[in-house]
Amino acid sequence: MTKVTDYDLFGYDYTNYWKDRRYENESEKMLLSKIFRNKNGNWFLDIGGSYGRLTSTYYSKYTNPVILDYSLQTLTKNKDILKTKYPNIQLIAANAYKLPFKDNSFDGALMVRVLHHIEKPSTYFKELFRTMNKNSFYIQEFANKVHFISSLKALVKFNFKFFSKEPYQQPTRGNFEGTKAGEESIFFNYHPSYVKELLTKNGFTVIKKHGCSYIRSAFLKKFLGEDLMLLKEKVLQTLLSWSNFPPSIVYESMVKKELEENIAYTSQLEDILACPECKGILSITNNEAKCKKCSKIFLKKDDIWDFRVK
Protein backbone atom coordinates (compact mmCIF):
# COMPACT_ATOMS: atom_id res chain seq x y z
CA MET A 1 0.00 0.00 0.00
CA THR A 2 1.32 3.43 -0.95
CA LYS A 3 1.70 5.74 2.04
CA VAL A 4 -0.48 8.86 1.90
CA THR A 5 0.13 12.08 3.82
CA ASP A 6 -3.10 12.65 5.74
CA TYR A 7 -3.54 16.18 7.12
CA ASP A 8 -6.91 15.25 8.65
CA LEU A 9 -5.50 12.43 10.76
CA PHE A 10 -3.83 14.82 13.19
CA GLY A 11 -5.75 18.01 12.53
CA TYR A 12 -3.06 19.84 10.55
CA ASP A 13 -4.31 23.23 9.28
CA TYR A 14 -2.42 24.12 6.10
CA THR A 15 -3.66 27.71 6.13
CA ASN A 16 -1.42 28.38 9.15
CA TYR A 17 1.66 27.57 7.05
CA TRP A 18 1.02 30.60 4.82
CA LYS A 19 0.39 33.26 7.44
CA ASP A 20 3.98 34.57 7.38
CA ARG A 21 4.92 33.60 3.82
CA ARG A 22 3.63 36.45 1.67
CA TYR A 23 6.79 36.53 -0.47
CA GLU A 24 6.59 32.82 -1.32
CA ASN A 25 2.84 33.00 -1.93
CA GLU A 26 2.99 36.03 -4.22
CA SER A 27 6.05 34.66 -6.06
CA GLU A 28 4.12 31.54 -7.03
CA LYS A 29 1.01 33.46 -8.04
CA MET A 30 3.14 35.84 -10.11
CA LEU A 31 4.70 32.96 -12.03
CA LEU A 32 1.48 30.98 -12.50
CA SER A 33 -0.47 34.02 -13.68
CA LYS A 34 2.17 34.52 -16.37
CA ILE A 35 2.06 30.85 -17.39
CA PHE A 36 -1.75 30.79 -17.60
CA ARG A 37 -1.95 34.01 -19.61
CA ASN A 38 -2.58 32.23 -22.93
CA LYS A 39 -4.15 29.02 -21.62
CA ASN A 40 -7.79 27.99 -21.74
CA GLY A 41 -10.02 24.93 -21.81
CA ASN A 42 -12.98 23.12 -20.28
CA TRP A 43 -12.10 20.91 -17.28
CA PHE A 44 -9.10 21.82 -15.11
CA LEU A 45 -7.70 19.89 -12.12
CA ASP A 46 -5.80 21.44 -9.21
CA ILE A 47 -4.24 18.43 -7.45
CA GLY A 48 -3.64 19.12 -3.77
CA GLY A 49 -5.30 22.50 -4.18
CA SER A 50 -6.23 22.60 -0.48
CA TYR A 51 -8.06 25.81 0.45
CA GLY A 52 -7.78 27.31 -3.05
CA ARG A 53 -4.67 29.41 -2.52
CA LEU A 54 -3.84 29.42 -6.25
CA THR A 55 -7.36 29.33 -7.71
CA SER A 56 -7.20 32.97 -8.83
CA THR A 57 -4.40 32.16 -11.29
CA TYR A 58 -6.42 29.70 -13.41
CA TYR A 59 -10.12 30.19 -12.58
CA SER A 60 -10.91 32.58 -15.45
CA LYS A 61 -9.06 30.41 -17.97
CA TYR A 62 -11.00 27.14 -17.61
CA THR A 63 -14.77 26.70 -17.69
CA ASN A 64 -14.95 23.91 -15.11
CA PRO A 65 -12.16 23.97 -12.50
CA VAL A 66 -11.82 21.26 -9.85
CA ILE A 67 -9.86 21.33 -6.60
CA LEU A 68 -8.87 17.85 -5.47
CA ASP A 69 -7.34 17.25 -2.06
CA TYR A 70 -6.99 14.33 0.34
CA SER A 71 -7.98 16.58 3.25
CA LEU A 72 -11.77 16.54 3.46
CA GLN A 73 -11.58 18.77 6.55
CA THR A 74 -9.76 21.49 4.62
CA LEU A 75 -12.24 21.38 1.74
CA THR A 76 -15.23 21.45 4.10
CA LYS A 77 -13.82 24.28 6.20
CA ASN A 78 -13.16 26.51 3.17
CA LYS A 79 -16.09 25.48 0.95
CA ASP A 80 -18.32 28.49 1.61
CA ILE A 81 -15.50 30.97 1.01
CA LEU A 82 -14.44 29.22 -2.19
CA LYS A 83 -17.97 28.84 -3.57
CA THR A 84 -18.72 32.50 -2.90
CA LYS A 85 -15.57 33.74 -4.60
CA TYR A 86 -15.42 31.06 -7.33
CA PRO A 87 -19.01 29.87 -8.03
CA ASN A 88 -18.02 27.29 -10.67
CA ILE A 89 -15.38 25.53 -8.57
CA GLN A 90 -15.91 21.84 -7.79
CA LEU A 91 -14.42 20.28 -4.64
CA ILE A 92 -13.43 16.62 -4.40
CA ALA A 93 -11.68 14.67 -1.66
CA ALA A 94 -9.54 11.95 -3.26
CA ASN A 95 -6.18 10.22 -3.42
CA ALA A 96 -3.81 11.53 -6.13
CA TYR A 97 -2.74 7.93 -6.83
CA LYS A 98 -6.34 6.92 -7.51
CA LEU A 99 -8.12 9.74 -9.30
CA PRO A 100 -11.93 9.41 -9.54
CA PHE A 101 -12.19 10.46 -13.18
CA LYS A 102 -12.73 8.91 -16.57
CA ASP A 103 -9.92 8.72 -19.11
CA ASN A 104 -9.11 11.89 -21.10
CA SER A 105 -11.22 14.24 -18.97
CA PHE A 106 -8.98 17.26 -18.35
CA ASP A 107 -7.63 19.99 -20.62
CA GLY A 108 -5.31 21.30 -17.91
CA ALA A 109 -3.91 20.39 -14.51
CA LEU A 110 -1.65 21.77 -11.82
CA MET A 111 0.30 20.44 -8.83
CA VAL A 112 2.12 22.89 -6.53
CA ARG A 113 3.83 22.05 -3.23
CA VAL A 114 2.52 18.51 -3.24
CA LEU A 115 5.10 16.36 -5.07
CA HIS A 116 7.33 16.34 -1.99
CA HIS A 117 4.54 14.28 -0.33
CA ILE A 118 4.38 11.83 -3.26
CA GLU A 119 6.25 8.66 -2.34
CA LYS A 120 5.86 7.09 -5.81
CA PRO A 121 5.81 9.89 -8.40
CA SER A 122 5.88 7.54 -11.38
CA THR A 123 2.67 5.88 -10.15
CA TYR A 124 1.08 9.30 -9.79
CA PHE A 125 2.17 10.51 -13.25
CA LYS A 126 0.78 7.37 -14.89
CA GLU A 127 -2.58 7.91 -13.22
CA LEU A 128 -2.65 11.60 -14.11
CA PHE A 129 -1.75 10.89 -17.75
CA ARG A 130 -4.77 8.60 -17.98
CA THR A 131 -7.12 11.44 -17.03
CA MET A 132 -5.56 14.07 -19.32
CA ASN A 133 -7.07 14.91 -22.70
CA LYS A 134 -5.03 15.08 -25.91
CA ASN A 135 -3.05 18.31 -26.28
CA SER A 136 -3.72 19.10 -22.62
CA PHE A 137 -1.46 21.20 -20.41
CA TYR A 138 0.15 20.30 -17.09
CA ILE A 139 2.17 22.34 -14.59
CA GLN A 140 4.41 20.52 -12.11
CA GLU A 141 6.11 22.36 -9.24
CA PHE A 142 8.55 20.61 -6.93
CA ALA A 143 11.09 21.24 -4.19
CA ASN A 144 14.50 21.50 -5.87
CA LYS A 145 17.10 19.22 -4.31
CA VAL A 146 20.09 21.02 -5.87
CA HIS A 147 19.18 24.66 -5.33
CA PHE A 148 22.02 27.11 -4.71
CA ILE A 149 22.19 26.98 -0.90
CA SER A 150 21.90 23.17 -0.67
CA SER A 151 24.49 22.70 -3.40
CA LEU A 152 26.88 25.10 -1.68
CA LYS A 153 26.53 23.23 1.63
CA ALA A 154 27.19 19.91 -0.11
CA LEU A 155 30.33 21.28 -1.79
CA VAL A 156 31.68 22.64 1.49
CA LYS A 157 31.23 19.19 3.05
CA PHE A 158 32.67 17.44 -0.05
CA ASN A 159 29.39 15.53 -0.22
CA PHE A 160 29.40 14.86 -3.95
CA LYS A 161 26.85 12.03 -3.63
CA PHE A 162 24.31 14.74 -2.90
CA PHE A 163 24.28 15.70 -6.59
CA SER A 164 22.91 12.34 -7.74
CA LYS A 165 19.47 12.28 -9.32
CA GLU A 166 18.00 10.26 -6.46
CA PRO A 167 15.30 12.02 -4.37
CA TYR A 168 16.42 13.44 -1.05
CA GLN A 169 14.28 12.72 2.02
CA GLN A 170 14.32 16.01 3.86
CA PRO A 171 14.70 15.75 7.67
CA THR A 172 11.47 16.56 9.51
CA ARG A 173 13.04 19.10 11.90
CA GLY A 174 9.82 19.57 13.83
CA ASN A 175 7.62 19.93 10.75
CA PHE A 176 5.24 16.99 11.06
CA GLU A 177 2.88 17.69 8.16
CA GLY A 178 0.26 14.94 8.03
CA THR A 179 2.00 12.83 10.65
CA LYS A 180 1.96 12.34 14.38
CA ALA A 181 4.60 14.39 16.24
CA GLY A 182 7.81 12.40 16.30
CA GLU A 183 7.05 10.39 13.15
CA GLU A 184 9.00 10.97 9.94
CA SER A 185 6.84 12.51 7.22
CA ILE A 186 7.05 11.99 3.46
CA PHE A 187 9.02 15.04 2.31
CA PHE A 188 11.15 14.56 -0.79
CA ASN A 189 13.27 17.12 -2.59
CA TYR A 190 13.78 16.21 -6.24
CA HIS A 191 16.56 16.72 -8.77
CA PRO A 192 15.16 18.63 -11.80
CA SER A 193 16.57 16.01 -14.20
CA TYR A 194 14.85 13.24 -12.23
CA VAL A 195 11.44 14.91 -12.46
CA LYS A 196 11.87 15.76 -16.14
CA GLU A 197 12.79 12.15 -16.95
CA LEU A 198 9.76 10.86 -15.03
CA LEU A 199 7.42 13.24 -16.83
CA THR A 200 8.85 12.26 -20.21
CA LYS A 201 8.70 8.54 -19.41
CA ASN A 202 5.02 8.83 -18.50
CA GLY A 203 3.82 10.71 -21.58
CA PHE A 204 4.41 14.37 -20.70
CA THR A 205 6.54 16.59 -22.94
CA VAL A 206 8.32 19.32 -20.98
CA ILE A 207 8.13 22.56 -22.95
CA LYS A 208 9.50 25.10 -20.49
CA LYS A 209 11.30 25.38 -17.17
CA HIS A 210 10.75 28.09 -14.55
CA GLY A 211 12.10 28.93 -11.12
CA CYS A 212 10.33 30.43 -8.14
CA SER A 213 11.14 31.99 -4.75
CA TYR A 214 14.70 32.76 -5.84
CA ILE A 215 15.63 34.74 -2.74
CA ARG A 216 13.61 32.87 -0.12
CA SER A 217 15.22 33.93 3.14
CA ALA A 218 13.98 35.05 6.57
CA PHE A 219 16.95 37.42 6.81
CA LEU A 220 16.19 39.11 3.47
CA LYS A 221 12.54 39.54 4.45
CA LYS A 222 13.67 41.64 7.40
CA PHE A 223 16.51 43.39 5.57
CA LEU A 224 14.90 44.14 2.19
CA GLY A 225 11.21 43.82 2.92
CA GLU A 226 8.84 41.62 0.93
CA ASP A 227 7.77 44.31 -1.56
CA LEU A 228 11.33 44.86 -2.75
CA MET A 229 11.95 41.10 -2.78
CA LEU A 230 8.95 40.62 -5.07
CA LEU A 231 10.28 43.24 -7.50
CA LYS A 232 13.57 41.38 -7.65
CA GLU A 233 11.71 38.07 -7.95
CA LYS A 234 9.97 39.25 -11.12
CA VAL A 235 13.33 39.96 -12.76
CA LEU A 236 14.95 36.74 -11.56
CA GLN A 237 12.04 34.62 -12.83
CA THR A 238 12.85 35.96 -16.31
CA LEU A 239 16.65 35.98 -16.23
CA LEU A 240 17.38 32.70 -14.41
CA SER A 241 14.55 30.43 -15.54
CA TRP A 242 17.11 28.10 -17.14
CA SER A 243 19.00 27.54 -13.88
CA ASN A 244 18.71 25.27 -10.84
CA PHE A 245 19.31 28.24 -8.53
CA PRO A 246 15.93 28.55 -6.74
CA PRO A 247 14.42 26.18 -4.15
CA SER A 248 11.32 25.73 -6.28
CA ILE A 249 11.25 24.54 -9.91
CA VAL A 250 8.20 24.56 -12.19
CA TYR A 251 7.86 22.58 -15.42
CA GLU A 252 5.31 23.40 -18.09
CA SER A 253 4.40 20.27 -20.02
CA MET A 254 2.04 19.04 -22.71
CA VAL A 255 0.25 15.73 -23.15
CA LYS A 256 0.13 14.30 -26.65
CA LYS A 257 -2.34 11.49 -27.25
CA GLU A 258 -3.70 9.82 -30.33
CA LEU A 259 -7.45 9.64 -29.74
CA GLU A 260 -9.86 8.38 -32.38
CA GLU A 261 -12.57 10.80 -31.29
CA ASN A 262 -12.68 14.20 -29.65
CA ILE A 263 -13.98 14.11 -26.10
CA ALA A 264 -17.56 15.31 -25.96
CA TYR A 265 -17.95 18.65 -24.19
CA THR A 266 -19.71 18.43 -20.86
CA SER A 267 -20.25 20.84 -18.00
CA GLN A 268 -21.61 18.23 -15.59
CA LEU A 269 -19.13 16.85 -13.05
CA GLU A 270 -20.99 13.54 -12.89
CA ASP A 271 -20.20 12.95 -16.57
CA ILE A 272 -16.44 12.72 -15.92
CA LEU A 273 -16.50 10.82 -12.60
CA ALA A 274 -15.39 7.18 -12.33
CA CYS A 275 -14.65 4.73 -9.55
CA PRO A 276 -11.21 5.61 -8.13
CA GLU A 277 -10.50 1.95 -7.32
CA CYS A 278 -11.40 0.08 -10.52
CA LYS A 279 -12.30 2.96 -12.90
CA GLY A 280 -15.75 1.44 -13.34
CA ILE A 281 -18.85 3.41 -14.33
CA LEU A 282 -20.70 5.03 -11.46
CA SER A 283 -24.42 4.92 -10.88
CA ILE A 284 -25.10 8.32 -9.31
CA THR A 285 -28.28 9.10 -7.41
CA ASN A 286 -28.53 12.34 -5.47
CA ASN A 287 -25.62 12.22 -2.99
CA GLU A 288 -24.50 8.63 -3.57
CA ALA A 289 -22.35 7.05 -6.26
CA LYS A 290 -22.15 3.26 -6.61
CA CYS A 291 -19.65 1.55 -8.86
CA LYS A 292 -21.33 -0.84 -11.31
CA LYS A 293 -18.16 -2.92 -11.48
CA CYS A 294 -16.87 -3.32 -7.90
CA SER A 295 -19.97 -2.10 -6.00
CA LYS A 296 -18.04 0.41 -3.87
CA ILE A 297 -20.18 3.28 -2.61
CA PHE A 298 -19.07 6.91 -2.37
CA LEU A 299 -20.96 9.78 -0.75
CA LYS A 300 -21.36 13.50 -1.32
CA LYS A 301 -21.80 15.67 1.75
CA ASP A 302 -22.07 19.46 1.86
CA ASP A 303 -21.59 19.49 -1.94
CA ILE A 304 -18.20 17.72 -1.69
CA TRP A 305 -17.68 14.22 -3.11
CA ASP A 306 -15.58 11.91 -0.92
CA PHE A 307 -13.72 9.50 -3.20
CA ARG A 308 -10.83 8.79 -0.85
CA VAL A 309 -9.40 5.26 -1.08
CA LYS A 310 -5.97 4.00 -0.08
Side-chain angles (χ1 to χ4, degrees):
M1 181 184 295
T2 304
K3 188 176 179 182
V4 177
T5 299
D6 188 350
Y7 282 5
D8 290 355
L9 194 58
F10 303 107
Y12 184 84
D13 187 348
Y14 188 51
T15 60
N16 290 332
Y17 178 85
W18 290 99
K19 287 182 178 179
D20 298 314
R21 289 179 166 84
R22 176 172 166 256
Y23 164 70
E24 291 88 341
N25 183 39
E26 294 301 322
S27 292
E28 291 174 7
K29 288 182 177 179
M30 181 193 303
L31 175 60
L32 291 174
S33 295
K34 182 170 65 175
I35 292 174
F36 280 117
R37 191 173 297 157
N38 298 314
K39 303 296 185 295
N40 60 77
N42 185 14
W43 287 98
F44 182 86
L45 183 61
D46 184 351
I47 305 116
S50 188
Y51 63 95
R53 181 175 67 89
L54 302 173
T55 307
S56 62
T57 65
Y58 59 75
Y59 183 75
S60 65
K61 303 297 182 177
Y62 290 85
T63 309
N64 295 293
V66 178
I67 292 178
L68 180 144
D69 202 279
Y70 197 77
S71 175
L72 179 59
Q73 288 180 13
T74 298
L75 295 175
T76 302
K77 179 180 178 180
N78 295 280
K79 184 202 72 172
D80 291 341
I81 297 172
L82 282 167
K83 287 286 189 177
T84 299
K85 194 170 184 180
Y86 307 107
N88 290 336
I89 202 77
Q90 299 283 354
L91 307 179
I92 293 180
N95 184 342
Y97 293 113
K98 297 181 178 181
L99 298 172
F101 305 111
K102 295 177 181 178
D103 295 358
N104 315 312
S105 292
F106 291 95
D107 296 322
L110 165 75
M111 176 183 272
V112 173
R113 289 186 179 256
V114 178
L115 197 66
H116 57 267
H117 288 317
I118 300 294
E119 185 182 25
K120 298 180 179 179
S122 187
T123 300
Y124 159 69
F125 287 136
K126 283 186 174 69
E127 174 68 344
L128 178 65
F129 179 82
R130 178 187 66 78
T131 70
M132 299 298 285
N133 200 356
K134 65 177 181 179
N135 301 320
S136 56
F137 179 73
Y138 177 59
I139 299 174
Q140 180 64 67
E141 183 275 344
F142 58 94
N144 177 19
K145 171 186 175 181
V146 292
H147 66 83
F148 177 74
I149 299 298
S150 291
S151 295
L152 187 61
K153 289 179 179 178
L155 288 171
V156 169
K157 296 178 181 179
F158 297 99
N159 180 16
F160 300 112
K161 290 183 179 180
F162 176 80
F163 297 97
S164 73
K165 293 181 182 180
E166 292 304 307
Y168 170 66
Q169 168 67 49
Q170 184 172 304
T172 298
R173 294 174 181 168
N175 182 18
F176 304 105
E177 293 185 18
T179 64
K180 186 186 297 183
E183 291 184 359
E184 196 73 19
S185 62
I186 302 171
F187 205 113
F188 290 107
N189 289 1
Y190 290 97
H191 194 293
S193 295
Y194 179 86
V195 175
K196 185 175 182 179
E197 288 173 6
L198 277 180
L199 284 167
T200 302
K201 180 181 178 181
N202 289 289
F204 299 83
T205 301
V206 174
I207 57 176
K208 199 165 185 180
K209 177 183 178 182
H210 303 272
C212 195
S213 299
Y214 279 85
I215 47 178
R216 186 187 301 173
S217 164
F219 170 76
L220 290 177
K221 285 180 183 180
K222 293 181 180 180
F223 182 72
L224 296 177
E226 290 181 311
D227 289 336
L228 181 56
M229 287 175 69
L230 286 168
L231 287 175
K232 293 180 180 296
E233 174 74 20
K234 186 174 183 179
V235 176
L236 291 170
Q237 285 186 7
T238 300
L239 294 180
L240 297 179
S241 61
W242 54 270
S243 74
N244 289 334
F245 185 95
S248 177
I249 298 291
V250 175
Y251 280 138
E252 289 184 59
S253 68
M254 296 290 294
V255 173
K256 299 293 184 181
K257 287 183 176 181
E258 295 296 329
L259 300 179
E260 293 182 1
E261 299 178 356
N262 289 325
I263 304 302
Y265 178 91
T266 178
S267 60
Q268 299 300 312
L269 178 64
E270 289 74 14
D271 291 341
I272 67 168
L273 293 176
C275 175
E277 195 69 75
C278 72
K279 313 310 174 192
I281 296 173
L282 296 173
S283 175
I284 300 175
T285 305
N286 296 324
N287 295 323
E288 180 179 294
K290 183 176 181 179
C291 180
K292 295 182 179 180
K293 185 176 180 181
C294 71
S295 298
K296 284 187 177 294
I297 295 175
F298 306 94
L299 302 176
K300 180 169 72 171
K301 184 178 180 181
D302 295 329
D303 207 27
I304 301 173
W305 279 107
D306 186 357
F307 284 106
R308 292 174 298 175
V309 292
K310 291 189 177 181

